[in-house]
């Protein structure tokens, strides 16, 4: 099962979705990988700079889906 959390609360959690940023076109994390603060910073920078983020249901990049630990 998964839950949606604020992007700041996703650090250290396991991602449900594979998020890929264009440019450069390389996934920042794959499904099942731990979400790091560095990856979120990169994701937000690319998003603010006009890049395209694929794989996240929230187009505004305010939330991420993570594995529900309950």
């Amino acid at each position: 099962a998964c839950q949606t959390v604020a992007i700041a609360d996703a650090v250290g959690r396991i991602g449900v979705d594979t998020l890929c940023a264009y440019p450069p076109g390389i996934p920042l994390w794959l499904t099942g990988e731990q979400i790091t603060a560095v990856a979120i910073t990169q994701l937000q920078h690319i998003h603010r700079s006009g890049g395209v983020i694929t794989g996240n249901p929230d187009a505004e990049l305010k939330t991420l889906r993570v594995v529900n630990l309950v």
Side-chain angles (χ1 to χ4, degrees), residues 14-25:
I14 303 300
V16 171
D17 303 298
T18 295
L19 269 67
C20 192
Y22 297 92

Side-chain angles (χ1 to χ4, degrees), residues 9-34:
D9 296 332
V11 174
R13 303 288 298 270
I14 303 300
V16 171
D17 303 298
T18 295
L19 269 67
C20 192
Y22 297 92
I26 299 170
L28 290 165
W29 62 81
L30 301 172
T31 299
E33 289 186 334
Q34 186 176 41

